[in-house]
C-alpha cells in the first residue's frame, strides 16, 4: 500500500485469522441464530394453524393465507419486474462512449466500483422493491376477495345508474390497481433516470445534448404511462364523486354528489380525462419525433387545466350559482342522499308519529291500571347492581361478575320476564396464591349463571334472585355450569392432563375436575409444546411435568375474540351476552357486515357513534370494527360461543345482505343458514345495541324526508348526555319490555330519547322491536313531540328530582355517614299520550359498599313521587298525592321574571318539621348501624321509622308552609322562577 499520509510508518502488525475452533463456534452460533429465527416464524404460523383446526375453521386460515401469499408474490413480482426491467433496459441503451467531461470522469469511478457487482445490485434492488410491494399488496386481501366474489345489490345509484356492487366491491380494487400502477411507473422512472445518468444517457453539466435519443424515448414512454394512468384516475374520479365525503353545513358528513359536483367537477373530470389521454399520446409519439417539446407543452397544459377546470371553475360555480340560491340548487341532491342513507343504515322504514306529550285522560285510576300494561318497568339496573351480585353471589374471591350485567328474557309463571343475568367467571386477581401452576392449570374456569328479576327487589333492596348459589340452582334448570370461555378469561389455560383443576368449593371442601371437552390444542406432541413455548414466551410449557397425556391448551377465550378470529371480515358488537340454551351456557355475539362504498349514503365513524356513558367506563363494551368509517351496516350474522367447549357457530341472520353473500362465497361453509337456529336460541336473540346506537345517531338528522327541512336544520335532534353520571357521554339505550301506542301487547324493546339540538327538553322517543319472535322485529318507531310545547327531557327530569326539597332532604340523609347514592337507569315509558319517567335510586351503605335499591323516583304529568317501592311511587303519582313540579327553564332561556308568576312561599319551617327530620336522621343512623351488623330485621324497622318520619315532615311542611314542595335552598339553579 502506498503511503498516502506523507509521514513515517511503523512496523506492520500481521493480524492472524481466527482459529478453526473460533470459526467453527461462530458458524455454529450463526446457524443457531438463523434456525431460532426460522423456528420463531414457524411457531407463529404453526400455532395459528393448530388453533383454526381446533375450532373447525381451518378453511378461514387457508383461504386468508393463500390469498395473502398470492397477492404477495404476484404484485411483488410485478413490481420487481417493472423496476428491474427498466434498470436493465436503461443499461442496455447506454451510449458506447461517454464524452470526456468532469461530470463523466466523476461518474466513471462509480461505474467501475459497481461493475463487478452489477447483477447482484440489480437483484438486490428488485428484491427489495418486490418485498415492499408484495407486503403492501398482501394487506389488500379483503379488497381482492370482495372484488372476485362480489354479488349484485340489485340497486343502482341515481347518477351513473351502476349497481351498488360496483362502488362497494369493484371500485376499491380498481383504485388499488391504479395506485400500484402509479407506484410502479414512478419507481421505474426513477430507476431508469438514475441508470441513464450513471451511464451517460442523461447529462446535467456536460456540453451538448442533455439526453441521448434512446434515453429520451425510454423516459418518454414511462412518462406517457404515468400520464395515461392519470387519465384513468380522472375517469375513476367521476364515479368516486358518488362516494366522496365532504363538508356540508346541513350535515357533519356528506357523501355523494352535490350541485357543484354534478355540474362542475363531473364535466371537469371528463375534460381532464381527454386532455390526459392526448398528453399521454404525445409522450408516446416521442419515440418517433425524438423531442420533448410537444409532450412538455401538453403536460403543462394538463396541469394548468387541472388548476383552472378542476379547481377554479367549481369554486366559481359554488360562489355565484349555488350560494345565492343554495336550497333550490341542492334540494335534488339532498333527496338522493336522504334516500340512500336511510336505505344503507336500515332506517328507511322508521315510523315517525306525532305524540302529544301530555295525558289525554284525567282518570287517574285508569292511568294507574294502564301502567302495568304499558311496560314491565325494570328497576334492577344491570349497570349498577354488578357489585351486589359480586357481594352476594361471588362465593369465592377467585370468581367475579362483569362490570355491566346483561338483560335477557326468561319464562316465569308461564310468561316472559325481563331478567338481569351474569356469569360467575374466573377472577385471576382473586387467586389466593399466584404462580404458573395456579394461574394456568388449577384455576381454569368460572362456575354458573346468576340471574335476578328485573322488575322487583326484595325487602332489603337486594336483587330477587331466580338463579343463585354455588353450584347455581333456580329457574334455569339443569345445564353445564363450567365457564371456560368468557369475557374475563384473557389468558391461556392448560387442562385435561395429569394436573387436576379446582372445580368449585362448598361446605364439604374443594372439588376437583379434569376437562372433558375436545376444545383447544393437544400438547401431546413435543413439536406443539415447543411451538407454544416460543409463541407464548413460556419455556416451562416445553418441559413441565404438569403437562402430559391429554393436556390441551385453551386460548383466544373471550367470545368477541373468538368470533373476530374466525370471521375477520365481520365487525363485532361491543356487548356479548350469555344465555342458557339447550342445557348449555352460550355467549351470543352480534356481528355486522359493513362497507364505506354505498353511493350517496353519508358516512359515520363507528367508534364515535357507538360510544356512550358505559363504553367510557368499560372498554370491554367497545365495538370491534374492521372498518371504522362506514356508510352501510347490517346485523347479518348471529354468532354463539359455547362457554364450556368454546365451539363457535355463525348463523346467517340477514338473508338478503349482498355483503354477507359475498363473504359467504369467499369463505364457503363457514356460515350456517338461518334455519339452523333452534327455537330455544331464538328466544334469547335480540336487537343489537351498537347497530341501534348507529341508527339513532343517523336519525337525529335523517328522520326527516323533506329536503328543504333537512337543509334548514330546524328539525335536528341530539342524543342527550346521561344525566345519571358525570362522564359527559351520551345516555346508553335501554332494553325494556314495553308497548308503543300502536302495539297491542308488550314487546321486548330497545329504547332511547332525543332532545333538540342544543336544548334539554324532549323532542322524540325512539324504540325498536328487539324480539325476533315477533313479526315486526327491527321496526323502529319514533314518537315525535310537538315543538310548540315543552316536554321535559332526561336532564330536566333529573333536575326536577334533585330540586324537590323533600327528595333532596332524603337524598342528603341517605348520603349520611360513609354512604353513597347512585342513580339507576332513567327509564322513559309512553303512557296515554304522556311520558312516565322511572328511576331507581341505590345506596352503598355501611361497610358493605355494594348498592341496594332504596328508593324509586317516578314522575308523570307534573306529579313526582319518591318512595321505597315502585308500586308505592306509582300509587302516589296517580293517586294525586305526588308533588307537583314546574319544569326548569330551558338552557339559554331567560330565568328572570315571568309576568303573573306568584312569589314563592316562605321557606321558614315550623318546629314540627325539624323534629320530624331529626327523627329521620336517627332512623337513618340506626339503619346504617344495622347494615354494618348485617341485622336485616333491625334494618327493616329503621327503614319504616325513616319513612314515617319523612311523611311527618312532609305533612308538617304542607300544613305550615302553604303546601310548598320545593325550596331554593335545595337547588337554586332549579328553583321556580319568581317576580323580581
Amino acid at each position: 500500500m502506498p503511503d498516502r499520509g506523507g509521514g513515517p510508518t511503523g512496523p506492520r502488525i500481521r493480524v492472524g485469522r481466527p482459529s478453526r475452533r473460533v470459526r467453527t463456534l461462530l458458524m455454529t452460533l450463526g446457524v443457531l441464530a438463523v434456525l431460532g429465527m426460522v423456528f420463531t416464524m414457524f411457531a407463529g404460523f404453526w400455532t395459528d394453524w393448530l388453533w383454526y383446526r381446533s375450532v373447525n375453521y381451518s378453511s378461514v386460515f387457508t383461504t386468508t393465507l393463500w390469498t395473502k401469499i398470492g397477492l404477495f408474490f404476484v404484485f411483488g413480482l410485478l413490481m420487481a419486474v417493472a423496476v428491474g426491467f427498466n434498470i436493465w433496459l436503461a443499461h442496455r441503451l447506454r451510449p458506447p462512449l461517454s464524452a470526456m467531461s468532469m461530470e463523466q470522469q466523476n461518474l466513471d469511478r462509480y461505474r467501475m466500483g459497481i461493475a463487478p457487482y452489477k447483477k447482484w445490485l440489480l437483484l438486490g434492488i428488485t428484491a427489495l422493491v418486490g418485498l415492499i410491494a408484495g407486503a403492501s399488496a398482501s394487506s389488500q386481501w379483503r379488497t381482492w376477495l370482495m372484488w372476485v366474489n362480489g354479488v349484485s345489490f340489485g340497486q343502482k345509484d341515481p347518477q351513473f345508474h351502476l349497481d351498488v356492487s360496483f362502488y362497494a366491491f369493484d371500485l376499491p380494487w380498481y383504485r388499488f390497481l391504479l395506485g400500484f400502477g402509479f407506484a410502479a411507473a414512478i419507481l421505474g422512472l426513477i430507476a431508469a433516470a438514475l441508470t441513464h445518468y450513471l451511464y451517460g444517457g442523461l447529462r446535467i453539466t456536460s456540453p451538448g445534448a442533455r439526453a441521448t435519443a434512446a434515453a429520451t424515448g425510454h423516459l418518454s414512454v414511462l412518462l406517457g404511462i404515468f400520464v395515461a394512468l392519470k387519465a384513468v384516475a380522472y375517469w375513476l374520479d367521476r364515479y368516486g364523486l358518488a362516494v366522496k365525503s365532504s363538508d356540508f353545513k346541513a350535515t357533519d358528513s356528506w357523501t355523494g354528489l352535490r350541485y357543484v359536483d354534478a355540474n362542475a367537477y363531473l364535466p371537469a373530470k371528463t375534460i381532464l380525462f381527454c386532455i390526459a389521454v392526448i398528453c399521454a399520446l404525445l409522450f408516446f409519439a416521442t419515440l418517433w419525433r425524438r423531442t420533448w417539446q410537444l409532450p412538455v407543452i401538453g403536460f403543462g397544459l394538463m396541469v394548468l387545466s387541472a388548476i383552472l377546470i378542476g379547481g377554479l371553475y367549481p369554486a366559481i360555480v359554488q360562489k355565484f350559482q349555488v350560494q345565492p340560491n343554495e336550497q333550490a340548487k341542492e334540494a335534488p341532491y339532498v333527496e338522493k342522499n336522504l334516500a340512500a342513507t336511510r336505505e344503507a343504515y336500515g332506517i328507511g322504514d322508521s315510523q315517525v308519529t306525532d305524540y302529544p306529550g301530555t295525558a289525554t285522560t284525567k282518570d287517574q285510576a285508569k292511568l294507574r291500571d294502564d301502567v302495568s300494561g304499558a311496560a314491565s318497568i325494570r328497576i334492577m339496573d344491570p349497570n349498577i347492581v354488578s357489585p351486589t351480585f359480586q357481594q352476594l353471589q361471588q362465593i369465592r374471591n377467585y370468581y367475579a361478575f362483569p362490570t355491566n350485567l346483561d338483560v335477557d328474557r326468561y319464562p316465569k309463571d308461564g310468561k316472559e320476564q325481563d331478567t338481569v343475568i351474569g356469569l360467575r367467571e374466573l377472577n385471576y386477581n382473586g387467586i389466593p396464591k399466584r404462580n404458573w401452576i395456579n394461574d394456568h392449570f388449577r384455576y381454569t374456569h368460572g362456575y354458573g349463571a346468576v340471574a335476578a328479576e328485573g322488575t322487583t327487589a326484595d325487602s332489603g333492596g337486594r336483587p330477587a334472585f331466580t338463579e343463585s348459589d354455588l353450584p347455581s340452582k333456580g329457574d334455569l334448570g339443569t345445564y353445564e355450569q363450567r365457564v371456560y370461555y368468557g369475557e374475563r378469561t384473557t389468558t391461556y389455560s392448560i387442562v385435561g392432563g395429569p394436573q387436576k383443576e379446582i372445580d368449585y368449593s362448598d361446605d364439604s371442601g374443594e372439588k376437583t375436575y379434569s376437562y372433558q371437552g375436545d376444545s383447544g390444542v393437544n400438547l401431546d406432541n413435543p413439536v406443539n409444546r415447543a411451538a407454544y413455548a416460543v409463541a407464548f414466551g413460556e419455556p416451562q410449557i416445553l418441559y413441565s411435568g404438569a403437562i402430559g397425556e391429554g393436556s390441551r391448551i385453551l386460548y383466544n377465550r373471550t367470545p368477541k375474540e373468538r368470533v373476530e378470529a374466525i370471521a375477520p371480515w365481520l365487525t363485532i358488537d361491543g356487548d356479548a351476552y350469555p344465555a342458557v340454551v339447550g342445557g348449555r351456557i352460550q355467549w351470543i355475539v352480534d356481528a355486522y357486515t359493513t362497507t364505506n362504498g354505498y353511493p350517496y349514503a353519508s358516512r359515520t365513524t363507528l367508534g364515535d357513534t357507538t360510544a356512550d356513558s358505559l363504553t367510557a367506563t368499560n372498554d370491554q363494551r367497545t365495538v370491534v370494527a374492521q372498518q371504522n368509517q362506514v356508510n352501510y351496516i347490517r346485523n347479518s350474522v348471529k354468532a354463539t360461543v359455547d362457554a364450556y367447549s368454546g365451539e363457535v357457530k355463525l348463523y346467517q341472520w340477514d338473508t338478503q345482505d349482498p355483503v354477507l353473500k359475498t363473504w359467504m362465497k369467499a369463505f364457503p361453509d363457514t356460515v350456517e343458514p338461518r334455519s339452523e337456529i333452534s327455537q330455544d336460541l331464538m328466544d334469547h336473540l335480540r336487537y343489537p345495541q351498537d347497530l341501534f346506537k348507529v341508527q339513532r345517531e343517523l336519525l337525529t338528522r335523517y328522520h326527516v324526508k323533506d329536503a328543504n327541512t333537512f337543509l334548514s336544520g330546524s328539525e335536528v335532534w341530539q342524543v342527550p348526555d346521561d344525566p345519571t353520571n358525570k362522564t359527559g357521554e351520551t345516555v346508553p339505550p335501554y332494553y325494556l319490555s314495553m308497548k308503543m301506542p300502536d302495539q297491542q301487547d308488550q314487546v321486548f324493546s330497545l329504547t332511547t330519547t332525543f332532545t333538540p339540538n342544543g336544548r334539554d327538553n324532549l323532542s322524540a322517543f325512539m324504540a325498536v322491536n328487539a324480539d325476533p319472535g315477533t313479526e315486526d322485529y327491527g321496526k323502529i318507531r319514533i314518537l315525535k313531540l310537538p315543538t310548540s310545547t315543552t316536554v321535559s327531557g332526561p336532564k330536566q327530569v333529573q333536575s326536577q328530582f334533585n330540586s324537590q326539597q323533600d327528595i333532596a332532604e332524603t337524598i342528603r340523609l341517605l348520603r349520611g355517614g360513609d354512604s353513597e347514592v347512585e342513580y339507576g337507569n332513567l327509564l322513559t315509558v309512553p303512557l296515554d299520550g304522556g311520558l312516565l319517567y322511572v328511576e331507581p335510586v341505590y345506596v352503598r351503605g355501611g361497610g358493605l359498599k355494594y348498592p341496594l335499591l332504596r328508593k324509586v323516583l317516578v314522575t308523570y304529568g307534573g306529579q313526582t313521587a319518591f318512595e321505597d317501592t315502585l308500586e308505592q311511587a306509582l300509587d302516589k303519582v296517580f293517586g294525586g298525592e305526588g308533588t307537583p313540579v314546574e319544569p326548569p327553564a330551558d338552557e339559554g332561556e331567560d330565568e328572570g321574571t315571568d309576568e303573573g308568576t306568584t312569589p314563592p312561599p316562605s321557606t321558614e319551617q315550623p318546629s314540627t318539621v325539624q323534629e320530624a327530620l331529626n327523627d329521620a336522621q336517627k332512623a337513618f343512623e340506626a339503619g346504617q348501624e344495622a347494615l354494618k351488623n348485617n341485622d336485616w330485621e333491625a334494618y327493616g324497622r329503621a327503614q319504616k321509622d325513616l319513612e314515617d318520619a319523612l311523611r311527618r315532615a312532609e305533612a308538617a311542611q304542607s300544613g305550615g308552609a302553604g303546601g310548598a314542595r320545593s325550596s331554593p335552598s335545595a337547588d337554586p339553579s332549579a328553583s321556580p322562577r319568581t317576580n323580581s
Side-chain angles (χ1 to χ4, degrees):
M1 295 287 291
D3 180 10
R4 299 185 184 277
T9 60
R12 295 186 179 184
I13 301 176
R14 180 179 298 274
V15 179
R17 296 178 64 188
S19 66
R20 181 183 298 273
R21 180 179 298 176
V22 173
R23 291 202 306 271
T24 303
L25 178 61
L26 291 175
M27 290 181 62
T28 303
L29 292 175
V31 171
L32 289 176
V34 171
L35 289 176
M37 293 175 60
V38 170
F39 189 78
T40 300
M41 297 174 61
F42 167 78
F45 164 80
W46 185 243
T47 53
D48 284 347
W49 161 249
L50 291 174
W51 186 84
Y52 276 97
R53 191 176 65 174
S54 73
V55 294
N56 299 318
Y57 282 90
S58 56
S59 62
V60 174
F61 178 80
T62 54
T63 299
T64 305
L65 177 65
W66 286 116
T67 302
K68 289 179 179 179
I69 291 175
L71 292 172
F72 177 86
F73 279 105
V74 169
F75 286 95
L77 185 62
L78 286 175
M79 183 64 76
V81 168
V83 174
F85 174 75
N86 280 290
I87 293 175
W88 173 83
L89 184 61
H91 180 266
R92 182 77 178 268
L93 297 176
R94 69 189 184 280
L97 294 173
S98 301
M100 294 307 295
S101 63
M102 289 299 297
E103 180 184 24
Q104 292 303 314
Q105 288 178 19
N106 291 331
L107 291 174
D108 273 341
R109 288 184 296 174
Y110 295 103
R111 288 193 287 263
M112 293 175 64
I114 66 174
Y117 310 106
K118 284 192 294 187
K119 290 183 179 180
W120 291 107
L121 187 61
L122 177 62
L123 289 175
I125 292 173
T126 55
L128 178 62
V129 297
L131 287 172
I132 295 173
S136 176
S138 65
S139 67
Q140 298 293 321
W141 64 270
R142 291 184 179 89
T143 307
W144 160 260
L145 288 176
M146 293 184 78
W147 178 68
V148 77
N149 295 288
V151 302
S152 172
F153 273 70
Q155 296 173 329
K156 296 184 178 181
D157 77 282
Q159 182 67 40
F160 302 102
H161 307 292
L162 296 173
D163 192 88
V164 173
S165 61
F166 171 79
Y167 301 94
F169 306 140
D170 300 343
L171 191 58
W173 179 249
Y174 297 154
R175 281 176 166 166
F176 164 72
L177 292 179
L178 184 64
F180 179 84
F182 274 124
I186 292 171
L187 290 176
L189 180 64
I190 294 173
L194 290 175
T195 306
H196 279 300
Y197 176 70
L198 181 64
Y199 287 98
L202 289 178
R203 304 181 184 93
I204 298 177
T205 61
S206 300
R210 299 296 185 192
T212 63
T216 299
H218 183 195
L219 297 179
S220 295
V221 170
L222 291 176
L223 287 170
I225 293 173
F226 176 84
V227 177
L229 289 172
K230 187 61 180 175
V232 176
Y234 281 133
W235 188 256
L236 288 181
D237 284 347
R238 298 169 69 253
Y239 302 111
L241 293 172
V243 290
K244 181 195 71 170
S245 289
S246 60
D247 295 330
F248 189 33
K249 70 179 184 180
T251 176
D252 296 332
S253 176
W254 172 274
T255 301
L257 284 83
R258 292 157 53 193
Y259 180 89
V260 69
D261 297 314
N263 295 278
Y265 281 111
L266 186 57
K269 296 293 184 183
T270 305
I271 294 171
L272 290 172
F273 164 76
C274 297
I275 294 174
V277 170
I278 295 171
C279 187
L281 293 175
L282 290 176
F283 274 108
F284 292 140
T286 307
L287 282 171
W288 296 276
R289 294 180 54 86
R290 302 296 181 181
T291 175
W292 285 9
Q293 184 176 7
L294 284 178
V296 170
I297 293 173
F299 187 78
L301 289 175
M302 186 181 77
V303 173
L304 182 62
S305 300
I307 296 172
L308 296 178
I309 302 175
L312 185 59
Y313 173 62
I316 293 173
V317 171
Q318 179 68 23
K319 179 70 175 177
F320 295 102
Q321 291 190 32
V322 178
Q323 289 185 4
N325 192 17
E326 186 172 28
Q327 194 142 325
K329 295 291 187 183
E330 300 288 14
Y333 304 95
V334 170
E335 290 177 356
K336 296 175 183 178
N337 177 266
L338 285 170
T341 303
R342 290 169 65 85
E343 173 63 29
Y345 290 95
I347 57 178
D349 295 330
S350 301
Q351 175 183 305
V352 181
T353 56
D354 293 331
Y355 193 70
T358 56
T360 58
T361 180
K362 302 299 183 183
D363 188 346
Q364 297 296 304
K366 182 178 184 303
L367 287 173
R368 177 64 181 89
D369 293 339
D370 289 343
V371 171
S372 59
S376 297
I377 299 173
R378 179 174 43 75
I379 56 175
M380 279 290 115
D381 186 347
N383 307 309
I384 296 288
V385 299
S386 177
T388 309
F389 274 50
Q390 185 84 356
Q391 184 68 28
L392 302 178
Q393 290 296 319
Q394 179 188 23
I395 312 299
R396 294 290 184 269
N397 286 337
Y398 48 82
Y399 293 132
F401 292 91
T403 305
N404 305 106
L405 303 177
D406 290 288
V407 179
D408 203 348
R409 298 92 69 210
Y410 286 90
K412 180 76 172 180
D413 299 328
K415 62 182 297 187
E416 280 194 347
Q417 174 179 262
D418 290 0
T419 302
V420 177
I421 187 171
L423 298 188
R424 191 185 288 110
E425 295 190 45
L426 185 63
N427 175 28
Y428 291 97
N429 293 326
I431 295 176
K433 186 177 180 180
R434 300 295 301 273
N435 55 53
W436 188 65
I437 293 295
N438 278 347
D439 287 356
H440 300 289
F441 291 82
R442 295 272 291 160
Y443 296 91
T444 60
H445 60 277
Y447 209 97
V450 176
E453 296 180 17
T455 55
T456 60
D458 68 10
S459 59
R462 294 163 295 188
F465 291 109
T466 58
E467 183 82 7
S468 59
D469 299 334
L470 181 68
S472 296
K473 53 184 176 292
D475 294 349
L476 301 185
T478 303
Y479 59 96
E480 173 55 68
Q481 298 197 17
R482 297 174 182 89
V483 181
Y484 282 89
Y485 295 87
E487 292 178 307
R488 302 181 67 95
T489 48
T490 55
T491 188
Y492 69 90
S493 289
I494 299 177
V495 298
Q499 179 66 59
K500 293 294 184 180
E501 311 161 41
I502 293 177
D503 203 20
Y504 66 91
S505 300
D506 58 15
D507 294 338
S508 61
E510 194 176 82
K511 308 292 185 182
T512 59
Y513 180 74
S514 185
Y515 185 65
Q516 302 298 314
D518 57 0
S519 182
V521 178
N522 199 313
L523 294 179
D524 288 351
N525 189 329
V527 175
N528 291 356
R529 293 177 65 171
Y532 279 104
V534 171
F536 289 172
E538 183 49 72
Q540 293 186 77
I541 294 178
L542 184 61
Y543 56 78
S544 173
I547 301 175
E549 184 179 355
S551 292
R552 311 182 71 85
I553 185 168
L554 314 180
Y555 61 104
N556 286 355
R557 297 168 70 186
T558 67
K560 292 195 296 183
E561 188 178 30
R562 291 180 79 78
V563 174
E564 181 192 12
I566 283 169
W569 34 273
L570 288 174
T571 293
I572 312 301
D573 189 89
D575 184 26
Y577 61 98
V580 177
V581 178
R584 315 277 292 192
I585 297 175
Q586 299 282 354
W587 288 97
I588 301 176
V589 183
D590 285 287
Y592 311 108
T593 48
T594 61
T595 180
N596 66 353
Y598 198 99
Y600 273 100
S602 290
R603 288 184 171 87
T604 189
T605 304
L606 291 180
D608 295 337
T609 54
T610 59
D612 57 27
S613 61
L614 297 183
T615 60
T617 56
N618 184 4
D619 57 5
Q620 287 187 338
R621 297 180 73 95
T622 304
V623 64
V624 182
Q626 303 296 341
Q627 191 175 36
N628 202 25
Q629 278 275 334
V630 304
N631 67 352
Y632 172 94
I633 185 169
R634 290 289 186 272
N635 177 213
S636 51
V637 170
K638 300 284 189 182
T640 61
V641 179
D642 192 292
Y644 181 82
S645 67
E647 181 185 20
V648 181
K649 290 187 177 180
L650 308 177
Y651 296 99
Q652 182 183 14
W653 185 248
D654 188 337
T655 57
Q656 304 302 316
D657 177 30
V659 181
L660 178 60
K661 291 178 180 178
T662 296
W663 287 118
M664 289 175 68
K665 282 182 64 179
F667 296 96
D669 302 324
T670 57
V671 181
E672 300 186 25
R674 179 168 176 158
S675 58
E676 292 297 314
I677 300 177
S678 66
Q679 185 58 50
D680 197 4
L681 175 59
M682 184 73 75
D683 291 340
H684 294 281
L685 300 181
R686 67 187 191 188
Y687 201 83
Q689 292 189 65
D690 283 337
L691 175 61
F692 184 78
K693 287 188 277 189
V694 169
Q695 290 174 327
R696 74 172 179 179
E697 181 63 32
L698 269 295
L699 281 167
T700 58
R701 303 185 304 274
Y702 287 92
H703 63 278
V704 301
K705 298 181 181 179
D706 177 66
N708 292 324
T709 305
F710 184 85
L711 284 166
S712 71
S714 61
E715 290 290 331
V716 175
W717 300 337
Q718 65 182 14
V719 180
D721 292 341
D722 191 342
T724 64
N725 60 46
K726 298 179 181 180
T727 61
E729 296 290 343
T730 56
V731 62
Y734 296 127
Y735 286 106
L736 182 69
S737 290
M738 56 163 292
K739 180 175 67 174
M740 291 291 274
D742 65 329
Q743 293 177 309
Q744 299 299 317
D745 300 303
Q746 289 184 22
V747 175
F748 191 64
S749 305
L750 194 52
T751 66
T752 193
T753 53
F754 296 109
T755 58
N757 194 26
R759 297 174 68 85
D760 293 323
N761 56 288
L762 198 67
S763 57
F765 174 81
M766 171 179 166
V768 64
N769 184 339
D771 187 353
T774 55
E775 292 183 0
D776 59 351
Y777 165 79
K779 183 176 181 61
I780 296 174
R781 294 175 171 87
I782 299 175
L783 304 180
K784 182 183 175 184
L785 285 97
T787 56
S788 57
T789 59
T790 300
V791 179
S792 297
K795 187 176 180 180
Q796 292 175 325
V797 169
Q798 191 68 48
S799 178
Q800 291 169 20
F801 286 157
N802 296 338
S803 65
Q804 291 299 302
Q805 180 177 340
D806 52 348
I807 296 176
E809 185 64 29
T810 305
I811 293 294
R812 185 186 69 81
L813 291 173
L814 291 174
R815 284 190 175 129
D818 57 355
S819 297
E820 300 173 9
V821 172
E822 295 185 41
Y823 294 102
N825 38 219
L826 180 56
L827 301 176
T828 309
V829 177
L831 176 65
D832 191 51
L835 291 164
L836 175 70
Y837 284 98
V838 179
E839 183 178 58
V841 178
Y842 298 85
V843 176
R844 292 178 183 251
L848 299 179
K849 292 302 179 187
Y850 63 90
L852 298 174
L853 182 66
R854 287 290 171 249
K855 293 287 182 180
V856 179
L857 283 160
V858 174
T859 185
Y860 181 82
Q863 300 290 327
T864 299
F866 186 51
E867 300 297 323
D868 292 343
T869 66
L870 175 62
E871 296 300 317
Q872 291 173 2
L874 292 172
D875 289 341
K876 188 169 184 179
V877 165
F878 294 105
E881 300 174 3
T883 305
V885 297
E886 179 181 348
D890 289 332
E891 237 176 71
E893 185 180 343
D894 180 13
E895 297 189 16
T897 302
D898 275 3
E899 188 175 349
T901 302
T902 305
S906 169
T907 59
E908 184 179 354
Q909 300 176 6
S911 60
T912 52
V913 175
Q914 188 59 48
E915 291 172 359
L917 292 177
N918 290 338
D919 292 341
Q921 180 67 39
K922 293 177 181 177
F924 176 77
E925 292 172 355
Q928 296 302 302
E929 186 64 29
L931 273 178
K932 292 179 181 179
N933 299 327
N934 285 332
D935 188 346
W936 297 107
E937 184 177 351
Y939 180 79
R941 291 196 302 270
Q943 285 296 101
K944 290 182 180 180
D945 293 341
L946 175 61
E947 183 180 353
D948 291 341
L950 291 174
R951 285 178 178 171
R952 284 190 284 112
E954 183 181 359
Q957 180 186 2
S958 61
R965 289 291 188 267
S966 62
S967 168
S969 64
D971 186 349
S973 64
S975 62
R977 293 171 292 177
T978 63
N979 290 325
S980 57

